[in-house]
């Protein structure tokens, strides 16, 4: 039979209506038969498609239709296992980080009294005030030094143990630190408290690198930002829990303050007995362990469906692209021109995250409220409200991040913080001129906390996972964690002296940092919401003065790597005729 200019064609029949309906749902970039020879009722020239060709060319669109509109979260994305993994992982990791930020606040005067008594018992005279200030600053800031050590350890541990078992082993640090700090008063050794804070910092450094990597690698692209915000939400809940348990009616008394640190063992034990029942990161299993069967089971568990061939094929394709690429070292990542501005942006983001002044507020909230004129007996309850505001703002950010995007939340958060820091400076300066001004200072502090947690509080960890491919990600988190913890240490150690020298003008320093960060993000940071690694790299390519390869991130369902090339129309028809396919 001839048609279409005399070229041989194959007559098409449509007897199987079920197959017809299935094939007609798929776009037809390969269908080259003339429209006149297709089924008039269903336009099913697609009936002649080979099933293998459909699997490769239509999988992306079929998967997209099944999963919903890109960027819109569906119930299928949030499987039960995914929610449990994120909650259990965050409860034993980022929750403890937030808890240790605020837990030293309430018992400050009792801990200083313990230091003075121990010193006098050993040396026969009271401790010098400057020495006491130094010891207290070391107690607060050594947590950050431990965090830096933990960050530098996470790449080696993660390569050997994987994401999940790194989190499990990390619980050993938390439990040992809890025992040391809880027993320090009974032993009469304040060094145990300081060493315990250091070990707890190691736990936090490992957790804040391993947990975001784990959540980033188990989450679908459509909810990657919202799931990443779980880290920030549990940091806020940890801060709130530390403030709540520090109330005088609970554990914030002179006789019970060591138990505030003993509580740290509870989340660690919960994670230790729960996380083993959840799978390892499927990307880690495929890339590092080459365990395809294990990765398929992990995908099935986290995505809540049986057919995960599309997800496995995407990761396998990326694995084949990077099969000759070893894990990139920190030095290689710093020297790589293709990710230069990604690294700079991560460094700026993490520096602003810590140097914006929020940790100074957490570490010294009681003294700030005292200078604002709040009666001492009311300070613990005012402090508790800050933790509640922080938690609500973090939850709000998790709900809107996939709609508004990362960039507006970061710029808006730092911009509002700069504004309220300026107002706070004015109110603290004028607090003796009117009785209502101290309460205006409290409003400014609450507004600063809400502005921080609505965007800057969790997005830096998300961006670090989104900017870099699998082989670069561990080193990227080392760089981000190093900047994070060094900045944390600097704030904790230097803020008491900055506050002493600049008095009420000390927060202008943080206002300038927040403003500089907002301006940088406005000019440099591209939006990463619902974008693949290849698209994000392309957005940075102009600044990096490089052209990333098209197959850098084949995980995208609509990139050239995941599609089979369209065959020649004539050869397609000839093959169908030769094989008797109708």
């Amino acid at each position: 039979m001839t048609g279409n200019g005399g070229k041989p064609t194959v007559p098409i029949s449509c007897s199987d209506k079920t197959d017809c309906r299935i094939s007609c749902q798929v776009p037809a970039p390969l269908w080259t038969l003339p429209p006149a020879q297709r089924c008039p009722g269903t336009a099913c020239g697609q009936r002649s498609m080979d099933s293998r060709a459909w699997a490769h060319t239509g999988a992306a669109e079929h998967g997209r239709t099944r999963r919903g509109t890109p960027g819109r979260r569906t119930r299928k994305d949030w499987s039960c296992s995914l929610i449990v993994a994120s909650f259990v992982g965050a409860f034993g990791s980022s929750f403890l980080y937030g808890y240790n930020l605020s837990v030293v606040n309430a018992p400050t005067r009792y801990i200083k009294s313990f230091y003075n008594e121990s010193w006098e018992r050993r040396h026969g005279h009271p401790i010098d005030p400057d020495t006491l200030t130094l010891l207290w600053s070391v107690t607060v800031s050594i947590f950050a030094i431990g965090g830096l050590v933990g960050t530098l350890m996470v790449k080696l541990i993660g390569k050997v143990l994987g994401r999940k078992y790194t989190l499990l082993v990390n619980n050993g640090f938390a439990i040992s630190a809890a025992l040391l700090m809880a027993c320090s008063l009974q032993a009469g050794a304040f060094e145990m408290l300081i060493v315990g804070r250091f070990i707890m910092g190691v736990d936090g450094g490992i957790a804040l690198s391993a947990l975001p990597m784990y959540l980033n690698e188990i989450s679908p692209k459509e909810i990657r930002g919202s799931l990443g915000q779980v880290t920030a939400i549990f940091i806020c809940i940890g801060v709130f829990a530390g403030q709540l348990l520090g109330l005088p009616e609970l554990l914030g008394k002179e006789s019970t303050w060591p138990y505030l640190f003993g509580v740290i063992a509870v989340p660690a034990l919960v994670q230790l007995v729960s996380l083993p029942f959840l799978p390892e990161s499927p990307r880690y299993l495929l890339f590092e362990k080459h365990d395809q069967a294990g990765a398929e089971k992990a995908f099935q568990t986290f995505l809540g469906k049986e057919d995960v061939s599309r997800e496995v094929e995407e990761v396998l394709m990326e694995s084949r692209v990077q099969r000759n690429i070893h894990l990139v070292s920190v030095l290689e990542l710093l020297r790589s021109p293709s990710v230069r501005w990604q690294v700079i942006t991560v460094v700026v983001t993490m520096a602003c995250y810590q140097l914006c002044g929020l940790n100074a507020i957490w570490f010294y909230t009681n003294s700030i409220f005292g200078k604002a004129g709040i009666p001492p007996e009311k300070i613990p309850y005012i402090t508790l409200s800050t933790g509640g505001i922080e938690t609500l703002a973090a939850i709000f950010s998790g709900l809107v991040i996939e709609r508004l995007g990362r960039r507006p939340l970061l710029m808006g958060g730092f911009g509002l913080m700069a504004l309220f820091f300026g107002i706070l400076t004015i109110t603290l300066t004028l607090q003796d001129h009117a009785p209502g001004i101290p309460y205006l200072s409290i409003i400014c502090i609450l507004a600063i906390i809400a502005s921080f947690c609505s965007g800057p509080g969790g997005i830096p960890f998300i961006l670090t996972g989104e900017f870099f491919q699998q082989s670069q990600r561990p080193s990227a988190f080392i760089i981000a964690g190093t900047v994070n913890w060094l900045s944390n240490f600097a704030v904790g150690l230097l803020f008491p002296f900055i506050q002493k020298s600049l008095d009420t003008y000390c927060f202008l320093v943080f206002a300038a940092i927040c403003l500089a960060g907002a301006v940088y993000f406005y000019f440099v940071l591209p939006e990463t919401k619902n974008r693949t690694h290849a698209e994000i790299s392309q957005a940075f390519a102009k600044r990096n003065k490089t052209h990333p390869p098209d197959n850098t991130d084949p995980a995208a369902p609509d990139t050239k790597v995941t599609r089979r090339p369209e065959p020649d129309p004539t050869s397609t028809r000839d093959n169908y005729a030769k094989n008797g396919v109708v």
Side-chain angles (χ1 to χ4, degrees), residues 286-287 292 311-321:
L286 275 176
F287 272 92
Q292 184 170 344
E311 286 78 9
V312 172
E313 182 60 31
E314 289 172 357
V315 181
L316 283 175
M317 187 70 73
E318 184 177 351
S319 177
R320 286 192 289 269
V321 171

Side-chain angles (χ1 to χ4, degrees), residues 105-185:
N105 211 357
T108 297
R109 64 179 184 271
Y110 304 130
I111 295 176
K112 288 183 176 180
S113 176
F114 166 54
Y115 283 5
N116 190 38
E117 292 173 2
S118 301
W119 186 278
E120 187 172 4
R121 186 170 56 251
R122 296 178 187 179
H123 300 90
H125 59 83
I127 191 172
D128 182 75
D130 291 336
T131 305
L132 181 60
T133 301
L134 179 62
L135 277 177
W136 177 244
S137 296
V138 169
T139 304
V140 171
S141 57
I142 202 170
F143 177 68
I145 297 298
L148 177 60
V149 174
T151 299
L152 298 176
M153 293 168 54
V154 74
K155 182 179 178 182
L156 178 61
I157 298 176
K159 183 178 180 181
V160 176
L161 299 179
R163 316 297 189 239
K164 185 183 80 170
Y165 287 101
T166 297
L167 293 174
L168 287 173
V169 169
N170 196 34
N171 292 310
F173 291 108
I175 294 172
S176 60
L179 292 175
L180 277 173
M181 293 187 287
C183 298
S184 60
L185 179 63

Side-chain angles (χ1 to χ4, degrees), residues 292-531:
Q292 184 170 344
E296 289 179 356
K297 292 181 180 179
F299 270 127
Q300 290 170 347
T301 302
F302 286 130
L303 300 182
K305 60 182 182 180
E306 291 296 324
D307 183 14
V308 294
S309 56
R310 173 174 171 263
E311 286 78 9
V312 172
E313 182 60 31
E314 289 172 357
V315 181
L316 283 175
M317 187 70 73
E318 184 177 351
S319 177
R320 286 192 289 269
V321 171
Q322 301 183 40
R323 63 183 180 272
N324 295 324
I325 302 178
H326 62 284
L327 281 179
V328 177
S329 68
V330 173
L331 191 58
E332 289 172 335
L333 190 64
L334 291 174
R335 289 177 175 177
S336 175
S338 62
V339 293
R340 179 176 295 117
W341 277 96
Q342 288 93 314
V343 172
I344 294 174
T345 302
V346 164
V347 169
V348 171
T349 306
M350 279 299 178
C352 291
Y353 172 78
Q354 289 292 349
L355 299 179
C356 67
L358 195 80
N359 281 345
I361 289 179
W362 287 137
F363 291 150
Y364 306 101
T365 304
N366 289 0
S367 62
I368 291 174
F369 283 159
K371 289 181 178 295
I374 306 300
E377 63 274 10
K378 294 183 179 180
I379 286 179
Y381 306 98
I382 300 296
T383 303
L384 189 63
S385 67
T386 62
I389 292 291
E390 185 180 25
T391 303
L392 292 176
I395 294 174
F396 166 79
S397 177
L399 294 175
V400 303
I401 187 172
E402 294 298 349
R403 296 183 180 180
L404 299 181
R406 287 67 156 152
R407 190 169 178 268
L409 290 176
L410 269 181
M411 291 190 303
F414 281 123
L416 289 175
M417 288 182 72
L419 173 64
F420 289 117
F421 269 130
I423 299 175
L424 179 63
T425 302
I426 297 173
T427 57
L428 290 178
T429 304
L430 303 177
Q431 64 183 358
D432 297 330
H433 292 70
I437 291 183
Y439 295 94
L440 189 59
S441 299
I442 295 177
I443 295 175
C444 288
I445 289 177
L446 295 179
I448 290 169
I449 293 170
S451 301
F452 176 83
C453 295
S454 62
I459 293 178
F461 301 101
I462 299 174
L463 293 181
T464 306
E466 291 179 331
F467 282 173
F468 303 94
Q469 61 188 14
Q470 187 81 11
S471 60
Q472 300 167 335
R473 200 168 289 137
S475 294
F477 271 97
I478 288 179
I479 295 172
T482 301
V483 175
N484 177 28
W485 291 103
L486 286 178
S487 302
N488 185 302
F489 175 77
V491 171
L493 186 63
L494 299 178
F495 180 74
F497 302 100
I498 295 175
Q499 186 184 30
K500 190 174 182 180
S501 59
L502 296 180
D503 198 23
T504 57
Y505 297 99
C506 63
F507 291 106
L508 290 179
V509 176
F510 302 123
I513 293 173
C514 292
L515 183 60
V519 172
Y520 176 87
F521 297 133
Y522 177 79
F523 286 104
V524 176
L525 180 66
E527 181 54 66
T528 63
K529 179 187 69 173
N530 201 36
R531 301 177 74 176

